[in-house]
Amino acid sequence: MLDIQSIRKDFPILSHTVYDKPLIYFDNAATTQKPRQVVEKIENGYYNVNANIHRGVHFLSQAATEAHEEARKTIQRFLNARSSNEIIFTRGTTESINLIASSFTDAFMEEGDEVIISEMEHHSNIVPWQIQAARKGISLKVIPITEKGELCMDTYRSLFSERTKLVSVAHISNVLGTINPVKEVIEIAHQHDVPVLLDGAQAVPHTKVDVQALDADFYVFSGHKIYGPTGIGVLYGKEDWLDKLPPYQGGGEMIATVTFEKTTFNELPFKFEAGTPDYIGSTALAEAIHYVEQLGIEAIAAHEDELLRHASKRLEAIEDVRIFGQSVHKSSVLSFLIGDIHHYDMGMLLDRLGIAVRTGHHCAQPLMKAFGIEGTVRASFAFYNTKEEIDTFIAGIERVKTMF
Ligand code: PLP
């Protein structure tokens, strides 16, 4: 059991008021709030441990380097990767996927080769592949979803051909909350000798991820969605794969030797980390992960499941509600529409009551198209949210409903 009231004290922003109402923050799938410990780590980093890393012989540079490399080990342990060489720091999920899309396509794909994605992907797992499609003539195959918002696994099985080179799907949908059967997705792909990239942006804050148990080839996530800072994220890749991929960007840090005639590249993980890395961000991300681990990911999941069950039950009782994403395997995301109230109107009016939800297409326009809608209202819960907040949110929806 989590002591939510004492946890909330670690998040100063949660005691703010908005329009004289206590803030209820239900936009956690977009970004999470940061505990004091993470912000203090950033402050301490800049005040006390700041020097550019890896190249310095001096004390501060070595301390900063050690902190950055220790952070990499924290991520390695968190994902249960075999080696810290398999952990690449990026700016976030989007950059991690772009890195793989670019490097994997360059190394392993020819015109006519195929990548399998799904209908529920975030734009950041669609557009990078389309850029490669335009550049190199590869094509996308799309796993459709069921009415409940689950992957059609039979269709998935039938999408493989000898031209399939990679599968890239979300671990958890940012719109539907569906927890995809990613172990099975990977097993099927591996039967065809096809590697799999999992977009874990929505998964790492809510569920234990073990990349070895999953046998994932690539796994990506963003720091800011797991209570860490913005601008830092992770690409996990099996060492065998990363060794074979060409660098994504060129510059300092990623080289072994440079002459005007020829450059040789650094070893992993530095080959993929051109330029000065966000060494303050990496240590703050590690701090966020320690925070999550201290609470316990199982306890977090249990509390968030309870919030989801409570909110779903209360929302379902509202007349004319449509909930998108009805999988039994679901994380704490609720996308819905009420009658013909426009999602923006609902979002704006809830905001006046101090309740922050997201409205719109949630960077998943193809998914909206599949449901024949333009957008939804999305409430997404984190461990610091409470049932009382959900009750206030439901009362808010009822109130908005009476206005229409
Ligand atoms: N993938 C999913 C499933 C997401 O929910 C998001 C963000 O909402 C992203 C990718 C993109 O993450 P970022 O903007 O941090 O790169």
Side-chain angles (χ1 to χ4, degrees):
M1 285 285 281
L2 300 177
D3 180 353
I4 306 301
Q5 288 317 320
S6 91
I7 288 170
R8 285 177 72 90
K9 293 196 184 109
D10 289 336
F11 294 81
I13 209 168
L14 296 179
S15 53
H16 283 202
T17 53
V18 174
Y19 308 115
D20 290 331
K21 307 276 188 322
L23 167 69
I24 294 182
Y25 186 76
F26 284 172
D27 196 16
N28 295 288
T31 199
T32 52
Q33 299 303 342
K34 318 304 169 198
R36 255 179 232 288
Q37 291 82 339
V38 167
V39 178
E40 282 165 7
K41 193 78 186 176
I42 296 169
E43 190 182 72
N44 180 57
Y46 283 119
Y47 281 154
N48 298 314
V49 205
N50 182 44
N52 207 333
I53 62 170
H54 290 145
R55 289 178 287 264
V57 290
H58 61 82
F59 178 87
L60 265 188
S61 175
Q62 290 188 12
T65 304
E66 259 172 47
H68 181 66
E69 292 309 320
E70 197 48 51
R72 199 188 302 278
K73 286 191 191 130
T74 299
I75 316 286
Q76 176 205 344
R77 282 192 298 271
F78 178 63
L79 294 178
N80 192 30
R82 259 174 227 92
S83 153
S84 58
N85 287 346
E86 298 180 317
I87 305 299
I88 313 295
F89 285 115
T90 64
R91 286 195 300 120
T93 304
T94 302
E95 189 175 53
S96 298
I97 298 176
N98 274 279
L99 189 164
I100 293 301
S102 169
S103 292
F104 191 92
T105 306
D106 277 348
F108 294 110
M109 297 183 77
E110 301 291 337
E111 189 175 341
D113 283 345
E114 296 160 0
V115 175
I116 296 178
I117 60 171
S118 90
E119 206 167 18
M120 66 171 83
E121 296 313 312
H122 189 280
H123 294 162
S124 62
N125 197 22
I126 302 173
V127 184
W129 304 109
Q130 288 174 331
I131 290 172
Q132 297 307 322
R135 207 170 65 88
K136 217 166 170 185
I138 64 168
S139 62
L140 290 182
K141 288 200 167 174
V142 181
I143 313 166
I145 56 157
T146 65
E147 247 173 60
K148 278 186 168 176
E150 294 176 329
L151 297 177
C152 293
M153 292 300 281
D154 286 341
T155 313
Y156 169 56
R157 282 188 189 84
S158 72
L159 290 180
F160 285 87
S161 76
E162 70 281 358
R163 304 305 303 267
T164 310
K165 291 289 162 30
L166 189 78
V167 173
S168 187
V169 293
H171 189 167
I172 294 183
S173 159
N174 63 312
V175 180
L176 309 167
T178 312
I179 304 172
N180 286 321
V182 286
K183 198 160 164 53
E184 197 185 341
V185 165
I186 290 171
E187 273 165 17
I188 294 166
H190 285 177
Q191 283 161 14
H192 296 271
D193 287 327
V194 171
V196 177
L197 182 159
L198 293 180
D199 170 355
Q202 296 296 336
V204 286
H206 301 286
T207 181
K208 171 83 196 122
V209 173
D210 180 331
V211 289
Q212 290 191 67
L214 286 172
D215 202 15
D217 301 282
F218 304 104
Y219 197 98
V220 302
F221 71 91
S222 299
H224 69 97
K225 293 196 198 273
I226 184 165
Y227 314 98
T230 51
I232 184 96
V234 169
L235 159 66
Y236 156 82
K238 282 182 182 164
E239 200 158 352
D240 278 357
W241 278 116
L242 292 180
D243 265 336
K244 285 184 231 157
L245 296 182
Y248 174 52
Q249 293 179 329
E253 204 80 47
M254 51 76 74
I255 54 89
T257 59
V258 178
T259 64
F260 284 117
E261 290 70 39
K262 186 176 166 57
T263 289
T264 57
F265 300 126
N266 205 340
E267 55 201 22
L268 288 174
F270 311 113
K271 181 173 88 174
F272 292 106
E273 293 181 357
T276 300
D278 185 359
Y279 51 85
I280 302 283
S282 63
T283 53
L285 171 58
E287 188 66 29
I289 285 172
H290 289 140
Y291 189 92
V292 163
E293 285 177 329
Q294 222 179 345
L295 297 182
I297 197 87
E298 286 84 7
I300 290 173
H303 178 69
E304 291 172 352
D305 279 353
E306 210 177 308
L307 294 178
L308 178 71
R309 271 199 304 276
H310 182 67
S312 303
K313 202 167 131 217
R314 300 259 1 238
L315 196 60
E316 278 158 13
I318 296 178
E319 212 183 318
D320 288 340
V321 69
R322 287 165 72 197
I323 297 177
F324 301 90
Q326 302 272 9
S327 176
V328 286
H329 307 290
K330 191 170 164 175
S331 83
S332 53
V333 171
L334 259 183
S335 280
F336 64 95
L337 289 170
I338 308 273
D340 53 10
I341 302 174
H342 197 277
H343 45 94
Y344 286 131
D345 292 336
M346 178 61 81
M348 277 169 54
L349 290 166
L350 286 174
D351 177 51
R352 302 305 294 195
L353 302 172
I355 303 164
V357 292
R358 188 140 294 240
T359 60
H361 54 63
H362 316 297
C363 296
Q365 285 182 352
L367 179 61
M368 296 297 116
K369 193 166 170 219
F371 280 111
I373 54 176
E374 208 188 287
T376 71
V377 183
R378 182 186 72 183
S380 50
F381 314 119
F383 55 70
Y384 42 59
N385 291 127
T386 65
K387 282 190 184 170
E388 292 71 34
E389 287 182 313
I390 288 171
D391 292 341
T392 308
F393 161 66
I394 296 289
I397 295 172
E398 299 276 18
R399 192 162 152 201
V400 171
K401 211 169 161 239
T402 61
M403 295 179 187
F404 284 83

